[in-house]
Amino acid sequence: MMDCPPLFARPGGPYQDAGGFDWADNYLRFGLLSKVAALLASGVTPLDWKPDLLHCNDWQTALAPAYLRYRLPQPAPSVVTIHNLLFQGLFPRPTMAPLDLPEHSF
């Protein structure tokens, strides 16, 4: 289980606050989710198994393959399924540094 109360224990929904506005830190929130998914699909997973494939859905987990490529050893293959192209999770270039992804991956 992933537990990070500063990013997830708050009123509202998973994408927006109680007023219906996107959380300003959604890039960090879903970046963490992607990082954990990538860790579990890498050669350094803390679990006793490794998946054959990491299947990501939409922008919320689409950074997982990037973490596998740039930050983790022995990655599993990955695929991203896009269900709704309207919601792309676009964020400005300065978000790359806090996400711990190389600048050239932007």
Side-chain angles (χ1 to χ4, degrees), residues 74-86:
Q74 303 167 354
S78 59
V79 62
V80 176
T81 299
I82 299 171
H83 298 279
N84 191 337
L85 196 55
L86 179 63

Side-chain angles (χ1 to χ4, degrees), residues 8-21:
F8 297 103
R10 44 176 87 161
Y15 312 109
Q16 298 174 328
D17 62 23
F21 297 98

Side-chain angles (χ1 to χ4, degrees), residues 26-103:
N26 272 346
Y27 70 98
L28 288 174
R29 299 169 74 241
F30 293 103
L32 178 61
L33 177 63
S34 292
K35 190 180 272 192
V36 170
L39 174 68
L40 296 177
S42 76
V44 293
T45 178
L47 303 178
D48 291 335
W49 62 271
K50 182 178 173 188
D52 295 324
L53 175 76
L54 176 62
H55 183 190
C56 305
N57 288 276
D58 294 315
W59 73 266
Q60 293 87 353
T61 55
L63 288 179
Y67 285 115
L68 286 173
R69 165 71 173 87
Y70 296 112
R71 295 292 183 233
L72 292 162
Q74 303 167 354
S78 59
V79 62
V80 176
T81 299
I82 299 171
H83 298 279
N84 191 337
L85 196 55
L86 179 63
F87 301 104
Q88 298 181 20
L90 299 175
F91 298 96
R93 187 178 213 108
T95 61
M96 295 300 292
L99 290 172
D100 189 35
L101 288 168
E103 175 68 24

